[in-house]
Amino acid sequence: MGDEIPPPAHQLASVSISSDATSSTTVQKARFSDRVRIRSILGRPDGGAGLAGQKVRISGWVKTGREQGKGSFAFLEVNDGSCPANLQVMVDASVSDLSRLIATGTCVTVDGCLKIPPEGKGTKQKVELSVVEVIDVGAVDTATYPIPKTKLTLERLREFPHLRSRTNSISAIARIRHALAIATHTFFDEEGFLYIQTPIITTSDCEGAGEMFQVTTLINHTEKLERDLIENPPPTEADVEAARAIVKARGEAVAQLKAAKASKEEITASVAELNEAKVSLARTEERSRLKPGLPKVDGKIDYSQDFFGRQAFLTVSGQLQVETYACGLSDVYTFGPTFRAENSHTSRHLAEFWMVEPELAFADLEDDMNCAEAYVRYMCKWLLEKRYDDMELMAKNFDKGCIDRLKLVASTPFGRLTYTKAIELLEEAVAKGKKFENPVEWGIDLASEHERYLTEVVFQKPLIVYNYPKGIKAFYMRLNDDGKTVAAMDVLVPKVGELIGGSQREERIDVIMERIEEMGLPVEPYEWYLDLRRYGTAKHSGFGLGFERMVLFATGMDNIRDVIPFPRYPGRADL
């Protein structure tokens, strides 16, 4: 930072240099820590060579360690998660007990001097750290540490969600995911959108699919009540009658005192006893009505007794709610977790996932498609500029074509075709002998194999397919003039298929009410949504991008469970 003053040369300092820094030898003081991020050393254009001679403190975890020279010194490969590269650290036996440093997983903080490695040493690094003092050591139990030097399968790593971020692959994915999140906020901020935090708990089903996680306190309340009824059985009818008799007797006593013109003090005391008896009766009657099991009315669960006074769910989308702000603030977006109780074990589904959902006021489907294309291309460019080293690791270990795919999407205008034309192309392919697992006919929801065939084989570039049959799309999508299709669009990309789904929203109150009726949805939960059409309705459009799908597309990973920090899917919700 321009206003920071380099420390005296004799002091240990921290380097804070971005990956696009020049070859300056200036060492800057870190703002929140006394350590140097390894990325700020190795991420320089000169690989850190320009920092030779500088004294720094680094912290991180030992990836590999080995003693050499008959135990006279050791080399450690240390990584702090800031970049995929490890910093080679040389420790002399005179500085520290080497045996406590070399185990994989050990956490170390060391002070040392950056030096140019001797030629012919075999290291690819331009600089290494010669340790002068070991400041701290977080030891590791090598007998039980589950992340060894040898490579574990991604499936095996899912068994250790609390430790897998220390591996090269998962840490690279985390940095890529972070970069995509920052790119998302930066893109929409630059375009004048406002970030709106939509609710996670909702009473609306945006997708109309019904596969939602319910939020309720009734079960906990019922379990607590049932335990209480066992420990303290409810009053019997005889108990209730006895309480009523006490109220009657005390009422008669008050009447007798008044008839006898007793003193005010006597009457007041008797009235107090009567009131106490009435309160006790009310409590007895209320407790006598308690029954085990969920509260019901007419055979159905009585949600009026639930926490929110009605049924509530974890959201499957923030779209409906963010539309309310689009219809007052114009261009907005939401970016947050969404949930679906779909009992799916495929490599493409999660129970908890993140969605990016912009909403554009005064925009039609064409505007919506333009925004979606610009956003995807922006993210691809951002990754290539900001996280190329991580992308190189993904290309080396998982998908050789991931970088080329990003470059293709970043530089190529997306193709556009109607759903009807897409079906025609698929039917032509079938006629020529192409085999699909799913049948092809007008009216189907395109399967992933269809989407990938169009984008990878037919066009060999990203595509936007639009004007889908109304029967396979949500009620809120604008009905086209043909009465058969809606102004919906999907962005298809190589490797993944559908990346984005969006539409122009139905702004006509009469049409959207007909659509709700057609789909058999209750009107009452959507009355607030219909108010947006009743009061100052406006043309507007939007889309949703599945964030994990974007990470899949960027990294070339095959399983969506590996691109989210803590995957939730049927049977698993660790941590």
Side-chain angles (χ1 to χ4, degrees), residues 412-424:
T412 307
F414 292 9
R416 299 188 184 187
L417 72 161
T418 65
Y419 168 90
T420 300
K421 181 61 178 177
I423 292 295
E424 291 175 358

Side-chain angles (χ1 to χ4, degrees), residues 229-294:
L229 290 177
I230 292 173
E231 296 172 2
N232 304 290
T236 63
E237 185 60 32
D239 294 328
V240 175
E241 288 301 324
R244 288 172 181 163
I246 293 173
V247 170
K248 181 179 179 181
R250 291 185 177 178
E252 291 173 348
V254 170
Q256 291 173 359
L257 289 172
K258 288 182 177 179
K261 295 183 180 180
S263 68
K264 183 177 180 181
E265 289 78 8
E266 287 181 303
I267 294 175
T268 299
S270 185
V271 168
E273 291 178 347
L274 172 61
N275 289 336
E276 183 179 335
K278 286 181 177 180
V279 170
S280 178
L281 171 61
R283 290 173 178 169
T284 301
E285 289 178 328
E286 180 182 9
R287 186 165 174 77
S288 72
R289 290 191 291 267
L290 295 177
K291 305 293 181 185
L294 295 171

Side-chain angles (χ1 to χ4, degrees), residues 189 276 295 407 529 551:
D189 183 61
E276 183 179 335
K407 291 179 178 178
Y529 188 67
V551 183

Side-chain angles (χ1 to χ4, degrees), residues 433-544:
K434 172 64 179 175
K435 301 292 185 181
F436 291 112
E437 292 183 8
N438 298 277
V440 176
E441 61 181 1
W442 199 96
I444 65 163
D445 197 358
L446 295 179
S448 178
E449 60 175 337
H450 302 143
E451 296 166 341
R452 293 188 61 178
Y453 179 80
L454 290 170
T455 186
E456 294 174 7
V457 179
V458 179
F459 289 89
Q460 298 181 7
K461 65 178 180 179
L463 292 176
I464 302 181
V465 179
Y466 61 96
N467 288 348
Y468 280 78
K470 69 175 184 178
I472 60 174
K473 291 297 182 181
F475 73 92
Y476 51 75
M477 298 185 179
R478 195 180 198 278
L479 187 65
N480 287 327
D481 293 340
D482 60 15
K484 298 188 303 180
T485 63
V486 290
M489 64 89 178
D490 287 344
V491 176
L492 313 181
V493 294
K495 181 71 178 180
V496 171
E498 180 189 341
L499 182 64
I500 283 176
S503 72
Q504 182 174 339
R505 315 312 189 188
E506 183 57 77
E507 83 279 12
R508 298 164 295 185
I509 182 70
D510 55 334
V511 178
I512 197 170
M513 290 190 71
E514 288 178 8
R515 292 281 288 141
I516 290 176
E517 184 177 347
E518 280 179 11
M519 300 187 73
L521 298 173
V523 175
E524 189 274 331
Y526 300 102
E527 284 292 351
W528 63 270
Y529 188 67
L530 297 175
D531 279 349
L532 301 177
R533 279 77 181 163
R534 293 187 180 106
Y535 311 126
T537 188
K539 174 178 66 176
H540 60 288
S541 300
F543 62 83

Side-chain angles (χ1 to χ4, degrees), residues 19-40:
S19 59
D20 57 352
T22 66
S23 58
S24 169
T25 59
T26 302
V27 180
Q28 295 178 321
K29 184 179 179 181
R31 187 173 179 186
F32 301 119
S33 174
D34 60 356
R35 72 180 178 96
V36 176
R37 287 188 176 90
I38 291 175
R39 179 181 179 85
S40 65

